[in-house]
Amino acid sequence: MRARSWIEVSRSAIAANYDAVKRLVGPAVEVAPVVKADAYRHGALAVSRIVESRGARWLCVSNVDEGIALREAGSGARILVMADSLEASFCPMFEYRLTPVLHDLGEIAALDALGEPVDYHLKIDSGMGRLGTIAPAAEIAAAVQRARHARLEGLMTHFASAADYVGSQTADQCARFDWICAALESLGVRPPMRHLSSTIAVAYGRREAWHAMVRPGHAIYGYVSPVRTKGMSPVSLLDVRPALSWKTRLLVVKDFPAGARIGYGAQFTTPAPMRIGLLAAGYADGIPHRLSNRGRVIAGGQFAPILGAVSMDVTTIDLTNAPLLRPGDPVTLVGREDAASQDAQDLARAAGTISYSLLCGISARVERVYVD
Ligand SMILES: *Cc1c(COP(=O)(O)O)cnc(C)c1O
């Protein structure tokens, strides 16, 4: 393989992570893996095939195009489209048997106007202040009951601060959601499904928020964000491991004398004679520019600091601890070499960002290969 930069996605890790979620929530709770954004760059088609082969009957995507791609690839799962309730999306939604999440009561009438039998889920903004309706129960019930063709199948919500175990936002959101559901029930609106939980509410065992279905994304890829509050921390009940590793090659190895200025803006000057490696990947591949002079990679089984500015196609590292490496040798950005390992959370933390953003930011020019 001659790729300059590539990711390796472990099929068995994806399968084991899905199984771990399934085991934790038990047979009564549907697990709907979230494969939006090309499965956080792990590959939506491959990931969907793996989880469907292990019994997943639902998948979650962000928009209609992502849903269509899965259908065209032969997915037979129910596909919940979580953030695409534009009217123009309703026709393809029906044509490809996708299930829309609606966020506004006006959308119910618009969907109903298709004149076709179609199930939808309605999102309640229970306090996140983002997608979902904030209408009172009576108005929701009226809009739901006015529809002749569109059928409410599920009520859902999403947590803003699930990893915060000091503040009460999550408990408040649960209470608000339950209250709306109860009010709707008393008005005759009783959809078969309720769902609230993504990875964090699953991993830390917020069982009262599991109901009929959970929507894990991060966990499927092997991650659970740490609880944000020190001290009293619930432990993750999920045994998952990162499915993706990210590698690139040394392009050039160069010995500089002391006092050499390295890269754009001369952000690093060699304090002594130094062997420096130029990696064949930069911010155009998804290495955050914020890693300039921060963070590290793994070279020759040792951590090697990033030096100077990350540029578009090249990143410079300190090869002092790996003097034997030559151009063409692989270096690890995310993954393990011998005793040294770092995951997407470690690299994201060094960059001042989050693992989700780091994973989704691995660009299209980084080749993807699947391994067992
Ligand atoms: C992205 C998303 C999820 C998955 O979140 P993770 O933290 O990756 O598990 C679940 N539900 C909704 C509505 C989402 O947008």
Side-chain angles (χ1 to χ4, degrees), residues 78-263:
R78 294 289 306 277
I79 299 175
L80 190 68
V81 181
M82 300 192 297
D84 192 353
S85 46
L86 296 171
E87 253 183 82
S89 303
F90 291 158
C91 249
M93 206 81 85
F94 177 73
E95 192 182 333
Y96 287 89
R97 291 171 292 113
L98 311 176
T99 305
V101 172
L102 304 185
H103 303 99
D104 180 274
L105 300 185
E107 294 164 359
I108 299 176
L111 181 67
D112 195 50
L114 272 186
E116 305 281 3
V118 50
D119 289 335
Y120 68 93
H121 292 216
L122 181 66
K123 193 169 192 175
I124 306 294
D125 181 352
S126 58
M128 178 168 181
R130 206 187 56 172
L131 293 170
T133 179
I134 51 174
E139 284 177 30
I140 297 175
V144 167
Q145 288 163 343
R146 216 177 290 129
R148 311 266 305 278
H149 311 282
R151 294 179 305 229
L152 178 67
E153 181 183 33
L155 288 164
M156 68 182 280
T157 195
H158 192 49
F159 296 129
S161 308
D164 177 357
Y165 270 82
V166 169
S168 65
Q169 193 178 5
T170 308
D172 294 347
Q173 284 195 255
C174 280
R176 167 95 194 144
F177 184 73
D178 288 347
W179 186 82
I180 285 272
C181 289
L184 287 172
E185 203 167 323
S186 74
L187 294 166
V189 176
R190 298 185 188 88
M193 300 176 78
R194 286 183 198 185
H195 47 105
L196 307 83
S197 299
S198 54
T199 291
I200 293 171
V202 172
Y204 295 108
R206 206 180 279 277
R207 287 185 163 77
E208 70 277 17
W210 291 354
H211 292 281
M213 188 162 88
V214 294
R215 311 181 305 261
H218 220 203
I220 301 297
Y221 311 110
Y223 290 95
V224 174
S225 301
V227 166
R228 231 169 282 140
T229 31
K230 299 199 174 62
M232 50 148 306
S233 313
V235 289
S236 169
L237 307 172
L238 263 184
D239 183 18
V240 292
R241 67 182 162 98
L244 174 152
S245 55
W246 184 11
K247 302 198 170 148
T248 183
R249 289 186 200 282
L250 275 171
L251 192 61
V252 170
V253 173
K254 210 163 160 183
D255 290 304
F256 282 101
R261 295 166 175 181
I262 305 300

